[in-house]
Amino acid sequence: MLPLADQKMAAFPWFFLLLLYVNSFFMISAQHTLPELTSDDYADSLAPRKTSLLYFSGSDRPGNVIFLEELQKSSSVLQDYGISVAKVRCVEEAALRFCAEDKAYLFRGSKLLREFPADTLFDVNAIVANVLFVLLYNEVKYITSTLELQKLEDATKGKKNIVFTYVRAIGTPEHRYVMEAAFAHGSTHQFVVTTESNVLKSMSPEDPSLISARLVFIHCKSVTNADQKCQRTLSDQPLTTIHIHRFLKLMGLPLVVEVSDDPNKFSSVHLQLGLPVVFILSQQETYEVDMETAEDVAWQLLGKAGVGVVQREKSGINIPVAYNVAVKRPDENSPVKYLKLKEIQQILDLIHVPKEEQPEKPEESHGDPGVQDDEVARDVYRNRRPVLPLKLVPSLTDDTFKTVFSSARPTAVLFYMIWEHISITLLQFFQEVAEKYKGILEVSLAAVNCADWTVVCTKEKITQFPSVRIYQAGQEPVLYQGMMGTDELARFLILFHLECPRQLHTVEEAGGFISGAMHTSLRPYHNTSILGLFTLDMKEGAAEDFIMAARQLRGSAVVGIYTGESASVLAQQYGAPPPAILFSRRSVQKVNAVSIHNVPADEILPLLKWELLGEFPEVTVESLPALMKRQKPLLILFSDGVPSPRNEKHILSLVRGRYLEQYVTCWLNVKNTPAGLLVLKTYFSVIPPLPQLVLISFDSLGQVFALPVGQQISEVSILYWLEMVKAGEEVPVYFLSKDDWGPPLPHYDFLAMMDEVDPNLAAQKIRIRMKSTRSKKAEMSTKEEKRQSTSLRRTIPKFIDGKEESGRHEEL
């Protein structure tokens, strides 16, 4: 919305009113989208046999807005099941016990069925799942042991089939999908739900800790003998609404069908659902035996393929006696394939994907966030993909690994463990880099499985997995420490082959380097070129320090050095006498000059890394550690996209004028980094209109301030607001928690591991919690308000004359 502020200033008052209205709408929209009842008349809405979910709200609690958003989403879903959802506003004098606690209540008529603490209804899935779980008590049984399951099987033999479901927790998306399926099929099947992994172990060989949900169909309806066991069919599909209904549809089909027509003309539900059909070709003399064979095959292919028996005499076509099996694929133009097979296993092999080509079954749900202590491994596992064939990334052995030391061409080697999920993910990235950047990379790729070649990894002192090292003949190997992503890894390898720093011999070369003309093919892979300028008498001093620092940036930046006679002339052209460093930023077409006269050698590399981020850096996963290492308050502009030229101009003007030196001024694009939305929701309960300027202090108080909504972003308004913060006249919108983040288990203390490498890297040990809001300003006394309005009139720094806003802010 705010980028519209670039319109003519005459329209600004109308826009400002619109902005306040929209902001007010967002703040209360969640509260007004639900039907709202009063505590006096809510009882009239509880009609006989009508099911209602009512949330009693005594006051506007801090987390209510988010909860009401999820409750609103669930109302349209629950309405399909005949359940009404509403909010009851409690007045102060109301004596209802329902108003005393932050809970939702489920009624059938005027009878209370269940009360739900608000924290158990954490999203729309949890709301729908919990409500249906209560209403379908007779159709859905919850069990905790294999003994309970066995008793249920015995009770349903000859009557119903059982749909058994394992979910990690009540209220997860999978639990909701099962409950919705039970609502539709509960009269046909007996549904069973458990969250106990030991029950799943009794029917599945998989490790329950690696499974978010699983569905098993237990065939008890056809069992007539009490001593006979019910057969079980395990679904290998993720637990979603579509897959559940599809699976139950398949389980309800006849086990074997008789086909008396041409198999090419045969049609069935299996084919419509994209599954093949296997035909056992029979003749009258062997019909009974062939039917038994077909049933045996059908049980093993249940849910994967249909099975039919074709009587040759009735099919109307001449099928050679030599063939005994036929397969029809779901493709419309695919003809029936006739085969001569000897064993049932050969039939199964036709349908089952060969083991080496079997993709891992995807886990769609991210339901229970506490199922693994290693959160990184958990997310990587849930989002994993099948390992690609490593045609372009050869696997090295103890013999072939020796070649990386003698090759003139750099070789990037991935050291990994085959059983470790993050290793497998990076192995996939390696393959993607090789395929996507084939013909561009001047670095070879290879991999070493340390589970097989422990000697190689021990000699190379590999202690962390996965690790990437780049080897080149005659040089020490370089450890890759960047982001573990396809494009990030490729960008590093593309820049790695460049000499760093590149020695430039003429002023023309130096000029071409700083203008970007020397590396035009590399423009998509870097934004900033760095050029060190030194006179001839500086070769052994400042120039040497620069070279040592530049070598640490190999693969991360394009760096050059010029020590010619014209270095002084070129440096003076950009306003910094040598020794100097020029930073040419292609995105803004600007050259920034920094003099390193009297700069200690150990401060040159941090200076280079900081300047690479830019004058107004973007907050990303990759840049955040570097921004935190500055150990200054963060002044962040949260933006829905790239900041508008106008806002960027005002902030850059302050940065270049050195008015914001005590802060780390940066911006965050919530489209590229969605975590920014969660941060804003934590600070404001709802997402405020963007862009929003926020100041986060990491001192002992941990205060968070926000530029008041509706204020125009300008040099004067920003400086005035910051001066108000300094003087203690601005009320924090939130406080950061003083508690450190602790590890989920002692073995997963990742922040401590990071601190061992760099004591400042894990400085972001911050947990955010709400303490106060800007609404506290209303509680100020009249005397305090008067002091606030007058005490800062002379605290604004005198800004540059001639700014466009200066005339409009003379009253300050």
Side-chain angles (χ1 to χ4, degrees):
M1 292 181 292
L2 283 181
L4 293 176
D6 288 327
Q7 303 294 328
K8 294 180 179 180
M9 293 303 298
F12 178 78
W14 292 102
F15 172 72
F16 180 72
L17 292 174
L18 176 63
L19 184 61
L20 289 177
Y21 171 80
V22 172
N23 178 59
S24 175
F25 173 80
F26 273 107
M27 294 293 289
I28 63 174
S29 60
Q31 298 165 326
H32 285 282
T33 49
L34 280 172
E36 186 170 313
L37 308 172
T38 67
S39 55
D40 293 328
D41 62 9
Y42 86 93
D44 297 335
S45 67
L46 303 178
R49 294 189 298 276
K50 176 185 176 182
T51 305
S52 305
L53 179 66
L54 302 182
Y55 172 66
F56 289 79
S57 176
S59 61
D60 290 328
R61 299 182 178 90
N64 278 9
V65 174
I66 299 176
F67 170 73
L68 290 174
E69 288 177 356
E70 297 301 318
L71 194 63
Q72 166 61 20
K73 294 175 187 177
S74 69
S75 64
S76 58
V77 179
L78 292 176
Q79 188 175 6
D80 295 337
Y81 300 103
I83 304 166
S84 63
V85 181
K87 170 188 171 183
V88 180
R89 178 169 292 280
C90 299
V91 295
E92 293 183 0
E93 59 270 21
L96 286 173
R97 70 178 181 88
F98 303 127
C99 294
E101 299 182 47
D102 189 23
K103 292 182 179 181
Y105 299 85
L106 184 65
F107 293 88
R108 173 71 57 78
S110 59
K111 180 182 179 181
L112 175 63
L113 298 180
R114 182 69 58 86
E115 61 183 46
F116 302 103
D119 58 356
T120 64
L121 307 181
F122 44 86
D123 63 10
V124 63
N125 295 313
I127 296 172
V128 175
N130 277 284
V131 170
L132 293 182
F133 203 16
V134 173
L135 297 180
L136 299 177
Y137 177 79
N138 293 322
E139 289 80 6
V140 182
K141 301 294 184 183
Y142 179 82
I143 63 172
T144 58
S145 66
T146 54
L147 181 60
E148 289 182 82
L149 180 60
Q150 185 59 54
K151 289 181 178 180
L152 197 57
E153 286 186 29
D154 294 339
T156 55
K157 286 178 180 178
K159 301 175 184 178
K160 279 187 176 184
N161 294 316
I162 297 175
V163 180
F164 169 85
T165 308
Y166 164 79
V167 294
R168 277 190 171 143
I170 299 300
T172 59
E174 293 90 350
H175 183 217
R176 170 191 170 179
Y177 303 147
V178 171
M179 298 311 303
E180 290 179 321
F183 192 91
H185 303 281
S187 60
T188 306
H189 308 299
Q190 176 63 62
F191 280 73
V192 176
V193 173
T194 187
T195 56
E196 301 295 330
S197 59
N198 63 311
V199 182
L200 179 63
K201 287 180 182 178
S202 66
M203 59 182 67
S204 172
E206 300 170 280
D207 184 356
S209 65
L210 304 179
I211 302 172
S212 63
R214 189 61 78 227
L215 183 69
V216 181
F217 193 92
I218 305 177
H219 306 264
C220 290
K221 187 176 182 178
S222 59
V223 176
T224 56
N225 188 344
D227 296 329
Q228 183 182 354
K229 291 185 177 182
C230 302
Q231 297 230 30
R232 296 171 176 178
T233 302
L234 180 69
S235 172
D236 59 357
Q237 294 294 314
L239 223 61
T240 63
T241 300
I242 294 177
H243 287 145
I244 292 174
H245 286 281
R246 182 177 182 270
F247 184 70
L248 296 181
K249 180 72 173 178
L250 291 172
M251 295 300 102
L253 297 176
L255 190 63
V256 178
V257 295
E258 295 186 40
V259 181
S260 58
D261 202 353
D262 183 355
N264 277 298
K265 299 178 181 179
F266 179 79
S267 179
S268 72
V269 175
H270 289 90
L271 294 171
Q272 294 170 8
L273 294 177
L275 299 176
V277 175
V278 175
F279 299 99
I280 304 298
L281 305 179
S282 177
Q283 48 195 3
Q284 190 171 356
E285 297 80 4
T286 62
Y287 180 77
E288 292 183 3
V289 177
D290 293 334
M291 181 60 73
E292 291 178 2
T293 301
E295 289 178 357
D296 190 6
V297 172
W299 277 114
Q300 298 185 64
L301 293 180
L302 193 58
K304 300 180 178 66
V307 177
V309 175
V310 177
Q311 295 189 44
R312 298 172 189 270
E313 296 83 0
K314 297 181 180 181
S315 65
I317 62 172
N318 184 20
I319 302 175
V321 180
Y323 298 122
N324 59 355
V325 175
V327 178
K328 181 176 177 62
R329 301 287 177 180
D331 303 43
E332 293 183 4
N333 300 324
S334 177
V336 172
K337 187 176 182 179
Y338 293 89
L339 304 164
K340 180 181 179 181
L341 303 178
K342 296 181 179 180
E343 298 176 355
I344 290 179
Q345 185 58 46
Q346 292 178 291
I347 300 177
L348 304 181
D349 292 341
L350 287 173
I351 305 304
H352 294 166
V353 179
K355 187 174 181 180
E356 63 271 16
E357 296 179 12
Q358 266 188 351
E360 293 183 356
K361 301 176 183 66
E363 299 285 344
E364 289 192 352
S365 168
H366 292 205
D368 183 6
V371 296
Q372 285 192 34
D373 295 296
D374 183 349
E375 296 181 3
V376 176
R378 176 203 65 190
D379 291 337
V380 170
Y381 174 78
R382 287 173 170 173
N383 295 284
R384 69 196 186 283
R385 293 165 289 178
V387 178
L388 302 172
L390 303 180
K391 299 177 182 177
L392 301 177
V393 184
S395 296
L396 301 180
T397 66
D398 54 352
D399 290 328
T400 56
F401 181 78
K402 301 172 185 177
T403 60
V404 302
F405 296 106
S406 57
S407 175
R409 180 185 175 95
T411 304
V413 180
L414 168 65
F415 297 91
Y416 70 99
M417 288 289 191
I418 191 63
W419 44 262
E420 204 260 331
H421 298 307
I422 302 179
S423 290
I424 297 304
T425 301
L426 190 54
L427 188 61
Q428 295 168 17
F429 290 159
F430 247 56
Q431 175 66 18
E432 292 173 6
V433 168
E435 292 180 345
K436 184 177 179 180
Y437 294 92
K438 186 178 181 181
I440 300 176
L441 285 179
E442 296 189 28
V443 177
S444 302
L445 301 179
V448 176
N449 180 6
C450 291
D452 292 336
W453 304 104
T454 55
V455 175
V456 174
C457 300
T458 301
K459 286 183 178 179
E460 293 303 303
K461 299 180 180 179
I462 303 298
T463 58
Q464 293 183 341
F465 303 96
S467 292
V468 178
R469 283 187 180 180
I470 299 91
Y471 293 84
Q472 191 171 10
Q475 299 183 19
E476 287 293 321
V478 176
L479 177 65
Y480 174 68
Q481 296 178 303
M483 296 286 288
M484 296 296 190
T486 301
D487 295 330
E488 292 83 1
L489 179 60
R491 183 166 58 246
F492 180 88
L493 296 177
I494 288 171
L495 298 180
F496 184 81
H497 79 279
L498 298 177
E499 181 185 3
C500 191
R502 177 170 179 171
Q503 184 67 54
L504 306 173
H505 302 286
T506 65
V507 69
E508 289 76 20
E509 283 185 347
F513 182 91
I514 204 65
S515 67
M518 187 170 288
H519 301 294
T520 54
S521 62
L522 299 179
R523 285 182 179 177
Y525 310 110
H526 78 101
N527 177 54
T528 304
S529 298
I530 302 174
L531 176 62
L533 296 175
F534 305 91
T535 58
L536 293 175
D537 60 335
M538 298 177 181
K539 281 189 175 181
E540 296 182 358
E544 235 1 90
D545 295 337
F546 174 79
I547 292 173
M548 295 298 293
R551 287 174 181 169
Q552 302 297 315
L553 296 178
R554 186 177 182 185
S556 303
V558 176
V559 186
I561 182 172
Y562 175 58
T563 56
E565 297 178 353
S566 302
S568 297
V569 177
L570 189 58
Q572 292 290 351
Q573 180 180 338
Y574 293 100
I581 305 176
L582 305 184
F583 298 88
S584 175
R585 296 184 175 89
R586 181 169 48 84
S587 59
V588 295
Q589 296 182 344
K590 182 179 183 296
V591 177
N592 183 36
V594 177
S595 176
I596 57 172
H597 183 66
N598 293 331
V599 174
D602 59 351
E603 294 184 12
I604 294 179
L605 181 59
L607 172 66
L608 296 177
K609 289 182 176 180
W610 177 251
E611 290 291 338
L612 280 173
L613 293 176
E615 297 173 290
F616 186 32
E618 179 182 2
V619 180
T620 63
V621 175
E622 187 174 10
S623 67
L624 183 58
L627 299 176
M628 296 293 295
K629 285 178 68 174
R630 304 291 290 183
Q631 297 185 343
K632 295 180 179 181
L634 290 182
L635 183 61
I636 306 179
L637 179 70
F638 289 85
S639 178
D640 187 17
V642 178
S644 68
R646 181 184 181 280
N647 291 336
E648 186 177 23
K649 171 189 172 184
H650 293 317
I651 294 176
L652 279 176
S653 178
L654 294 175
V655 171
R656 292 167 183 169
R658 300 185 180 277
Y659 289 96
L660 303 178
E661 283 192 316
Q662 58 185 302
Y663 312 105
V664 174
T665 308
C666 47
W667 63 281
L668 189 149
N669 184 354
V670 296
K671 291 183 178 178
N672 293 341
T673 311
L677 293 173
L678 299 178
V679 173
L680 288 174
K681 264 195 172 183
T682 304
Y683 291 160
F684 298 93
S685 295
V686 295
I687 298 175
L690 299 180
Q692 175 65 56
L693 196 60
V694 175
L695 176 64
I696 307 172
S697 177
F698 301 111
D699 56 16
S700 59
L701 297 178
Q703 296 173 321
V704 178
F705 300 90
L707 184 70
V709 175
Q711 276 200 22
Q712 186 182 21
I713 294 177
S714 66
E715 289 97 326
V716 174
S717 64
I718 293 173
L719 289 176
Y720 181 74
W721 169 59
L722 293 176
E723 287 296 327
M724 292 275 286
V725 171
K726 287 181 187 178
E729 302 291 343
E730 188 75 8
V731 178
V733 293
Y734 291 104
F735 289 85
L736 303 180
S737 172
K738 296 180 181 179
D739 300 328
D740 287 344
W741 275 347
L745 286 176
H747 298 294
Y748 292 111
D749 193 353
F750 297 116
L751 292 176
M753 298 177 191
M754 295 162 65
D755 278 333
E756 289 180 6
V757 179
D758 188 333
N760 295 322
L761 191 60
Q764 64 272 29
K765 299 178 184 177
I766 300 164
R767 212 172 228 172
I768 305 168
R769 63 183 171 85
M770 184 186 327
K771 280 193 175 179
S772 60
T773 66
R774 189 176 297 276
S775 61
K776 287 187 177 180
K777 284 187 175 182
E779 301 174 6
M780 285 183 165
S781 65
T782 305
K783 181 179 179 180
E784 184 69 8
E785 290 178 347
K786 182 178 180 181
R787 186 181 64 83
Q788 178 178 346
S789 65
T790 59
S791 61
L792 289 177
R793 290 183 180 272
R794 294 181 176 86
T795 58
I796 285 292
K798 192 171 183 180
F799 202 67
I800 304 171
D801 293 334
K803 290 294 181 181
E804 59 184 29
E805 286 82 13
S806 59
R808 299 173 50 246
H809 291 274
E810 289 178 355
E811 70 275 14
L812 296 179

